[in-house]
Structure formats: C-alpha cells, structure tokens
Amino acid sequence: MAIVRLENISRIYHEGERDQVQALRDISIELEAGSMCAITGPSGSGKSTLLHILAGLDRPTSGNYYYQNQLMNRLKDREICRLRNTEIAVIMQDYGLLSYDTVLGNVMLPAVIGKRDSRETLAAAKDILNQLGIGELSEKKVSELSGGERQRVAVARSLLMNAKLILADEPTGALDTVSTDKLMDLFESVNQQGITIVIVTHDPQVAKRCPQQFRLVDGRIV
Amino acid sequence: MRRKLFKYAFSVGFEKESVLFLQILLMSILLFMMTDPLLENLKTYREVAVLYSDGQQDLIHVIGENAPTENDQIHAFSVSHAVAQKASTHSDQALDALLLHYSKSWMSQINLQTGGIETAVSKDATPVLLSEACRNNYALHEELSIWLAEENITCTGEVVGFFRNRRLPVLMSHGSLPRLNDFYLSVEDYPAMVALESIEGVSCQPEYLITPGNPETFEASTASSDDVSGSSVRSDILGAEIRQTWNTYFMDNASIIFAFALFLLVAVFGFGAYIALVFREKQETMRILHLNGLSYRSIRQLFITAYGFLVGIPLLIGWLLIPLIGKVIFLEGLSLPKLRTVLLALTLMGLLLWTFTSLEFRRFEKNGTAGIVQAKPSKKQEE
C-alpha cells in the first residue's frame, strides 16, 4: 500500500512575479509503506522543496499529494501539524533541536506538543536514547553535543511518536564518513521496523544504501 | 501542555530577554540621569544680552535656579578697577566685571573673560561676591573677615556657602554695607572683588548704592577713589535683556548632548544586534515547535501570551508598588514622579518588545520553516 502518492506536483515560488522560480515540475511518485528511498540531485534541483511538501511544511502550487490516501492539499494547518506530530517525523540538516534544552527535553518535545508526555512516554524516550547509545547524554544540553550526537538525538525524537514516515533532509551533510555509516545503519534498522524513510541527499554513498532512488534535475525526476 | 510549552517560549525569554530587559532598565536609568540635568538646564536656561550704545552686545548665559525669568527686570552695570588689572596675570583677564542686578534682589557677577557666572542667593543678607579669580582662596576669606571686623562691619565673616559647587564663597554682612572703594582697597592684592547693592531690609550708604540704569553713578564712585585709577569699563551700557535661545543652549550643553547622542548611537546598535540575536533564537524556537507539530495559531498564542506575562507582570507589580516603593525605599535622586517616568518608559519598552514578538511571529509565518518559502498557504493556494 502506498503511504505517499504525489500526482503532478509543481511548486512555483513568487508566482507571477519577476523573480518567479519553478522549483518542482510535474512530480509524480509513489512510496510504499515500509520503503526506504533517497532523493538525490544537484543543488537547486528541488530536493528540499519536495521534502517540505512531503512534510506538509510547504504546499504545492498544483498537483495532489496523498498521504495514506488523504489529500494533504485540503487539510488545514492544524490537521497537518497533528500529522507531523504523530506520523510524519522530520529530521533537518541542522537537526532542528532546541540548543538550550536537554537531550531528553528535545526528544520529548513532540510528546509535549501532542499532549502525550506521560511517564510511559518518558520511559520510552529514555529507552530510545539508550538504544541509540546516547542514554548517558539525556540530561546534557544539546549545545554541548557533537554533530553526530545531535543527529542521533534528532533521530531519537523522530522515533518517539512511532512515526510512520521519517523524512530526513541531508542528514549526513555535516557528518564524517564513520558517523555517516553509523547513521545509515540506524536508518536501516529503523526501516526494518516498517517505518518508511525518505532521505534527501547529494551524497551518492548514502543514496546507494537506499533500495529506491529518485533523481531530481531542475525540478523534474529523471 | 501549554504550561510545558511556555517553558520553551520562556527559555528564550528568561535567558536572553531578561538580560535584554535588564539592559533596558539600566539604559532607562542612565538615559534618565543624562537627560535630567539637560532638562533641568533647559527649564532655567536664559541668556542675558547686555546691549551697548554702539550696537554691540555681550551675551551671558545663565543656568540654574537663580537664573532670571522673563518677568524679571534686569539692569546692567559695568565695573572695573585698577586693582583688578594690577593683580591680574593677564591684563585682559580682569577686563571688566559685569554687574547684573535682577529685580529679584539677588545678583550676579559675571567674569566676561571666563564666562563664569556667580550668584548669591541669600535674601536676608548682603551678599559679597568674589570673582572667578578669587575662588578657592580661603586665605582671602579670612583676611576679609578680619578686615570687615576692623572696619567695624557686622559680618559673620565666614564663608556661608558655595554656589552650585563652583566654590564661590558668599559672605554675610548684617550691618552697613562696606564702602565699595574701601573694600577694594583692603584687598588690593586680589583681583576683581565686587561688593553689591544691599538687598531689602539692609541699609546702604547712599553714595555706594548702585542705581539701576545709571552706570555713571557707579563709575563715579569708583573713580573718586585714589586707589582706583582709570577704567577700561565700557560705560556705554544701554541696558540688558533676558532671552531664551535654543541654539546657545545647545552650544553650551554640546558636550553632554554629544555624550547623549553617542550613548544613544551605541545603545541603538548594541540593542539592535542583541535584539537580532534574541529574535533569531525566537524564530528558531518557533520553527522547531512547528516542525514538531505545533500549529501556527498555537505558536502565536503561546508566544504572545508568554511575552505578555514576561513583560506585563513585572510592570504591573512595579506600577502597583509605586506608592510602597516611594514610601518605604529611599531612592536618592529618584523621586516618585521620576520613578513613574522610569516605569512609564519601561512600560513603553515592554510594549515595544511585545509588539516585536508579534511582528516576529508574522515574519515567521510568512517565511515558514524552510526560511525561504511561503509556508502558510495563500488564499489562492488554499482555494
């Protein structure tokens, strides 16, 4: 069953203005639940735009985006936010962590927003941190962590709410080779649990580890 | 949920904006301290124009609580004496002493060379004013006292006060006014000493009474003494006017105004940079909350409320406690009205901070999580 279906998605920035930019052109793809795919392409090809649309952070100018057969275009901001809180996790290149909060606080953030910050969730968060090998850092502030550790915190946060779809924007962009391999191992193990993973990357080595790949050039899939 | 989320809104607030707020508080006090004397000077700032028969004029700036008001009548007299010239290091230093007599019955002696302004304020005694050159000369005061005693002039003979920290001694005399020329003679080693007209209730010897509007009277009295030879005084004074001019006020206060402007400049840039830093962090917090599923509407409510509390509660407490602060806590130089002014300034700044937060949210809403795209759909897109 397709978890994501894009039909002729186009995205135009500053439409009708002089500096109009067409970031995406007629993108049509389907992602099966439990799949792991990479979206590659040169800078400015529209990778991040596509990821933002998948995350509901941006809306297509035209075309339809179905997430689990519901048309995302029609959902209100509040409804999309609820989905992003519970089902669609996003890992940004800059990790998207609150630097002044602790590791545990960051991991618990979606639970707090989703009003599920119970003791069980707290225990689950600690479990996840232990599984990712950063359990001992739980009370440390994010600002004190290394890039690799921050990336793992971001992954831990995406796992807390049992997301069905994890979207990662250049997750290895700031990591060395060893950390990159470790992170990809982590993604593979998460994927084996049935979670769909979409990784936007320009690193061919990362893309190679994903069974499904889409290459974007000038906003088109080639 | 909201309580825990407030933590995030406050995390930026308490760690950064509390510092910002504290800075604003200190700034307000500093600004207040800087502007207060400026405003005080502004209130009392006057310019006395001494007009001469040849059309020229001397402008003398008088600042302070004893400055004349527009309602005062003013008369100008020129005074000069040989003693002053003799004792002066530079021949032009003791050029003239200009005597201004205000209708308030207090007097000023102005040394034209230095621009010094000296006034005596006692209303129940004869003020004897010493010129610029006599300042800080305590030996002179003692000598004066002795001399006054020898002359059988009832006088405390003591320095009873200094005017506006200028170390201008004021001597009190309760008897007959010392004869002007005698006075000069007795202190011939000291420059430019002027005895002034008695004020109400004190008898004066008529020949030494200076008649307003008739400088010759005074000239005659000084010239009659053998020890006072010659005069470089301009005796052609027509009169004097009291004016209030802004340009001269700014010129006279240029240093403090310059310091004030510099302070403001630094403050604006410093604050600008700091506010930009805080706002960037605030935007980052908004972005991360949105990324994790908090809607735009909730973010707006969260931040606007949080900052409303952050700014509002301390100010509310401040306003409510004003009477208590005023009564219980002694704040030197910070009276109740001034405290109110400071609080008013803080309230305005708080409102500004709150408005900025609101504007920041709008900016975030427009730019969206990606920072480059219009995340919130336009009406057209929604349709």
Side-chain angles (χ1 to χ4, degrees), chain A residues 144-164:
Chain A
E144 298 167 15
L145 305 183
S146 69
E149 287 168 340
R150 287 181 198 203
Q151 195 60 275
R152 275 188 281 175
V153 175
V155 174
R157 188 175 62 189
S158 70
L159 297 176
L160 181 72
M161 302 294 276
N162 299 314
K164 292 174 182 169

Side-chain angles (χ1 to χ4, degrees), chain A residues 11 13-15 52 57-61 77-78 81-82 84-85 90 92 94 96-101 105-106 109-110 112-115 117 141 157, chain B residues 1-2 4-5 7-9 11-12 15 281 284-285 287-297 368-370 372-377 380-382:
Chain A
R11 180 66 173 104
Y13 293 125
H14 310 294
E15 194 178 7
H52 289 143
L57 294 169
D58 195 6
R59 296 194 185 227
T61 309
D77 176 55
R78 190 162 37 88
C81 280
R82 195 177 301 133
R84 199 162 51 241
N85 180 246
V90 190
M92 303 300 268
D94 63 357
L97 302 172
L98 296 165
S99 57
Y100 49 80
D101 201 5
N106 269 280
L109 183 58
V112 172
I113 291 171
K115 301 175 190 176
D117 49 332
K141 285 203 171 184
R157 188 175 62 189
Chain B
M1 184 274 277
R2 289 290 174 263
K4 288 199 174 178
L5 285 179
K7 187 185 83 176
Y8 296 113
S11 289
V12 186
E15 289 180 13
E281 194 157 316
E284 182 66 3
T285 302
R287 186 181 77 98
I288 291 166
L289 292 175
H290 188 57
L291 208 62
N292 285 280
L294 197 64
S295 66
Y296 282 114
R297 194 180 167 183
T369 303
I372 52 164
V373 295
Q374 187 183 342
K376 194 175 183 184
K380 190 180 164 189
Q381 276 180 305
E382 277 185 325

Side-chain angles (χ1 to χ4, degrees), chain B residues 110-368:
Chain B
I110 294 142
N111 183 317
L112 288 176
Q113 174 65 22
T114 60
I117 300 158
E118 295 146 9
T119 60
V121 293
S122 172
K123 286 196 172 185
D124 58 354
T126 302
V128 178
L129 303 180
L130 304 182
S131 75
E132 185 93 14
C134 297
R135 284 182 194 162
N136 305 321
N137 193 337
Y138 295 99
L140 170 66
H141 308 152
E142 286 208 29
E143 196 175 319
L144 263 175
S145 304
I146 296 165
W147 178 79
L148 287 166
E150 283 173 358
E151 291 292 313
N152 201 25
I153 297 170
T154 312
C155 179
T156 60
E158 291 174 356
V159 176
V160 295
F162 296 96
F163 181 61
R164 291 182 71 83
N165 297 324
R166 295 178 66 109
R167 306 194 72 76
L168 170 72
V170 177
L171 297 174
M172 307 270 289
S173 170
H174 296 289
S176 57
L177 186 74
R179 292 192 314 159
L180 200 62
N181 290 336
D182 287 347
F183 200 75
Y184 283 141
L185 288 173
S186 68
V187 288
E188 61 183 1
D189 290 336
Y190 305 100
M193 184 177 296
V194 181
L196 300 180
E197 179 189 11
S198 169
I199 54 174
E200 53 192 9
V202 181
S203 62
C204 302
Q205 294 181 29
E207 63 266 37
Y208 301 116
L209 191 66
I210 303 161
T211 311
N214 185 7
E216 284 75 18
T217 306
F218 182 70
E219 283 301 307
S221 74
T222 52
S224 66
S225 167
D226 292 340
D227 295 281
V228 180
S229 57
S231 171
S232 64
V233 70
R234 295 186 63 170
S235 57
D236 54 348
I237 292 175
L238 286 179
E241 285 176 9
I242 301 168
R243 299 170 181 170
Q244 186 174 33
T245 52
W246 295 103
N247 57 334
T248 44
Y249 166 76
F250 286 114
M251 288 299 285
D252 278 9
N253 291 282
S255 57
I256 193 166
I257 290 171
F258 177 73
F260 181 67
L262 198 69
F263 180 75
L264 269 185
L265 195 72
V266 171
V268 164
F269 277 100
F271 266 133
Y274 197 82
I275 285 171
L277 187 79
V278 172
F279 281 175
R280 200 173 61 186
E281 194 157 316
K282 209 188 294 178
Q283 289 249 324
E284 182 66 3
T285 302
M286 288 180 184
R287 186 181 77 98
I288 291 166
L289 292 175
H290 188 57
L291 208 62
N292 285 280
L294 197 64
S295 66
Y296 282 114
R297 194 180 167 183
S298 300
I299 293 172
R300 180 167 56 198
Q301 283 175 352
L302 179 73
F303 274 82
I304 298 297
T305 314
Y307 280 81
F309 277 121
L310 182 73
V311 171
I313 288 179
L315 287 173
L316 189 68
I317 291 170
W319 278 110
L320 289 174
L321 289 184
I322 275 188
L324 195 67
I325 294 169
K327 282 175 187 167
V328 177
I329 304 167
F330 176 69
L331 296 167
E332 196 177 355
L334 198 64
S335 62
L336 219 56
K338 286 178 182 175
L339 190 67
R340 281 202 194 96
T341 313
V342 169
L343 267 171
L344 189 67
L346 279 174
T347 306
L348 290 174
M349 286 183 186
L351 283 172
L352 204 66
L353 201 68
W354 188 81
T355 311
F356 276 153
T357 306
S358 182
L359 291 174
E360 274 303 291
F361 173 77
R362 282 175 187 276
R363 192 176 149 212
F364 164 72
E365 196 176 39
K366 190 181 173 192
N367 289 343

Side-chain angles (χ1 to χ4, degrees), chain A residues 64-178:
Chain A
N64 292 324
Y65 167 28
Y66 294 93
Y67 172 77
Q68 290 197 320
N69 291 327
Q70 55 181 331
L71 186 57
M72 292 283 274
N73 310 34
R74 286 189 185 163
L75 297 184
K76 291 178 179 171
D77 176 55
R78 190 162 37 88
E79 294 165 324
I80 291 177
C81 280
R82 195 177 301 133
L83 274 178
R84 199 162 51 241
N85 180 246
T86 55
E87 296 191 17
I88 304 172
V90 190
I91 301 170
M92 303 300 268
Q93 188 175 3
D94 63 357
Y95 321 119
L97 302 172
L98 296 165
S99 57
Y100 49 80
D101 201 5
T102 61
V103 167
L104 195 60
N106 269 280
V107 175
M108 285 292 287
L109 183 58
V112 172
I113 291 171
K115 301 175 190 176
R116 287 164 62 181
D117 49 332
S118 58
R119 283 183 188 173
E120 290 76 23
T121 320
L122 189 68
K126 286 178 179 172
D127 262 0
I128 293 168
L129 287 173
N130 284 329
Q131 283 169 29
L132 296 180
I134 49 173
E136 74 281 4
L137 303 176
S138 62
E139 293 307 321
K140 271 201 168 184
K141 285 203 171 184
V142 166
S143 55
E144 298 167 15
L145 305 183
S146 69
E149 287 168 340
R150 287 181 198 203
Q151 195 60 275
R152 275 188 281 175
V153 175
V155 174
R157 188 175 62 189
S158 70
L159 297 176
L160 181 72
M161 302 294 276
N162 299 314
K164 292 174 182 169
L165 173 64
I166 293 178
L167 305 166
D169 190 5
E170 301 278 10
T172 60
L175 301 182
D176 57 35
T177 317
V178 178

